[in-house]
Amino acid sequence: MTTVTPPTPTADAIAEPWASEQTITCRDDRVGRRAVIAIDDTTLGPGFGGVRYRAYPSTEAAAREAQRLAAAMTLKHALAELPYGGAKSVVVLDGPVPAPSSPERRALFARFGEMVARTAGTYIPGVDMGTLLEDMQTIRDDGGARAFCDEVSPSPFTARGVYAAMRAAAVHEHGEGGLDGLHVVVQGVGSVGEEVARLAHRDGARVTVADIDTARAQALATELGGQTVATQAAPFAEADVFAPCAVARVVTREAIPRIRARIIAGAANDTLDTPDCAEALRAAGITYVPDFVANAGGVIQVHGGVAGWSDAETLAAVDRIGTRVGELLETADTEGITPLEAALRRADAALGRTVAR
């Protein structure tokens, strides 16, 4: 009889091997590639989710992020009533970032595309943190895999959806004036956050912005007649609306007593450090719009392109995020639950199962 000794768990172990329908590790020493594909749930259709390209301290950290974000994509598609499941992938950055269009970068994403192609359409990648439209084109053209976000950036549509969400929350709290006269703090003014700030300003809000690129933040603040604040201070600034559009998990149990905004609605994934933060926010009188509801504009636009929607149809579908937020907030008030729980109950109904709380 052959005795098989199980490997000793290490920090490089896959974080939660049964957390997703499939968790696939990808390796190619020729191009220096390490990647993880997590396909969370395909109840509603093939798993669609972006490709992150960044450094990770361990395989476990990379796998955990892929699985966590894939689960969020399941919720996002379910709430947006889209025919996709949840998935996500991460490509581990080891060393300097290869320049766009460089042979090294193209070889990396071509080989990753070949790995994606092996999923036989169960996973469809798109752009995410650290990846570009041209990377999706390489996955498609050189790797032979289906890819979304390969022609049009979803960022402006994500921003439009976040704006619709925060405006709906403001109407729920203050009446039909929307954001007019309110103070909005946007943390992170990259391609999405910058547009969120502009849309809020256009609606009459006074805008304060924060970004690790202080020059970029100052330029936008000057353009909008607003102010800047340090990124770490942004969640605690005096404001009506806090829009986290950068790092995840900015709302912790320890931070909640210091948050002065009455509404939290932004583009960042995983705004809450732990699910119980939702109840703590409700107890503090802070309206939290679940991030997977607010930031769905990009995936709605992608589906609109696949389905052949007109521009008007796509924008109307993105704007319905505001309607959806209004309904969730009304349900939360009526049933005495958090907006997060209201959203998760909708996801339960769409998926035919109870999603993790």
Side-chain angles (χ1 to χ4, degrees):
M1 177 182 293
T2 301
T3 301
V4 178
T5 303
T8 302
T10 70
D12 277 341
I14 292 299
E16 298 289 346
W18 313 116
S20 307
E21 281 187 12
Q22 285 183 286
T23 302
I24 305 164
T25 57
C26 310
R27 166 191 166 191
D28 188 327
D29 292 336
R30 292 170 297 175
V31 295
R33 189 211 51 223
R34 300 288 186 277
V36 179
I37 300 171
I39 302 170
D40 178 70
D41 187 297
T42 55
T43 302
L44 301 178
F48 165 39
V51 183
R52 289 207 167 178
Y53 185 31
R54 51 162 292 197
Y56 290 91
S58 66
T59 303
E60 180 184 19
R64 192 178 295 278
E65 176 151 283
Q67 292 173 328
R68 177 173 52 83
L69 294 172
M73 293 302 294
T74 297
L75 299 177
K76 185 181 299 189
H77 294 140
L79 267 291
E81 301 176 3
L82 298 176
Y84 305 108
K88 209 79 170 184
S89 62
V90 299
V91 176
V92 178
L93 175 64
D94 183 14
V97 180
S101 302
S102 66
E104 295 81 9
R105 189 175 185 115
R106 192 173 183 98
L108 177 72
F109 282 100
R111 286 293 292 143
F112 181 64
E114 292 173 14
M115 295 293 187
V116 172
R118 294 179 188 177
T119 69
T122 307
Y123 171 53
I124 306 171
V127 293
D128 201 287
M129 182 186 299
T131 52
L132 308 167
L133 295 181
E134 68 178 50
D135 298 327
M136 299 307 109
Q137 293 163 3
T138 299
I139 288 171
R140 179 196 66 195
D141 298 339
D142 296 358
R146 187 183 186 192
F148 288 163
C149 313
D150 52 346
E151 299 294 343
V152 178
S153 171
S155 295
F157 302 90
T158 301
R160 186 180 178 113
V162 171
Y163 160 71
M166 66 167 61
R167 192 179 197 285
V171 168
H172 181 80
E173 294 295 316
H174 303 291
E176 289 300 325
L179 297 176
D180 188 29
L182 300 186
H183 182 203
V184 175
V185 174
V186 181
Q187 182 190 45
V189 289
S191 56
V192 174
E194 181 179 64
E195 183 64 12
V196 169
R198 288 198 176 101
L199 290 169
H201 172 72
R202 195 175 304 159
D203 199 18
R206 178 168 62 90
V207 176
T208 296
V209 298
D211 198 275
I212 57 173
D213 185 341
T214 55
R216 183 185 182 111
Q218 186 57 63
L220 182 62
T222 299
E223 174 193 330
L224 302 181
Q227 297 179 314
T228 63
V229 65
T231 54
Q232 65 272 21
F236 314 114
E238 186 73 54
D240 298 290
V241 181
F242 170 52
C245 296
V247 296
R249 300 184 174 186
V250 294
V251 176
T252 65
R253 289 298 297 265
E254 295 73 24
I256 289 171
R258 300 171 56 203
I259 295 174
R260 299 154 90 178
R262 295 296 91 192
I263 295 169
I264 298 176
N269 289 307
D270 283 342
T271 298
L272 305 185
D273 183 47
T274 55
D276 62 350
C277 289
E279 189 59 57
L281 287 171
R282 179 171 176 265
I286 300 171
T287 298
Y288 164 64
V289 178
D291 47 72
F292 57 85
V293 179
N295 64 17
V299 295
I300 291 171
Q301 179 272 327
V302 167
H303 178 65
V306 173
W309 291 351
S310 68
D311 290 346
E313 288 173 321
T314 298
L315 293 178
V318 172
D319 290 343
R320 281 197 290 277
I321 289 174
T323 303
R324 196 169 294 121
V325 167
E327 293 169 354
L328 291 172
L329 296 182
E330 287 292 338
T331 298
D333 284 354
T334 300
E335 300 187 14
I337 57 178
T338 67
L340 176 60
E341 178 61 23
L344 292 177
R345 290 183 184 181
R346 279 202 181 190
D348 290 344
L351 296 168
R353 64 177 176 87
T354 301
V355 301
R357 294 320 200 243

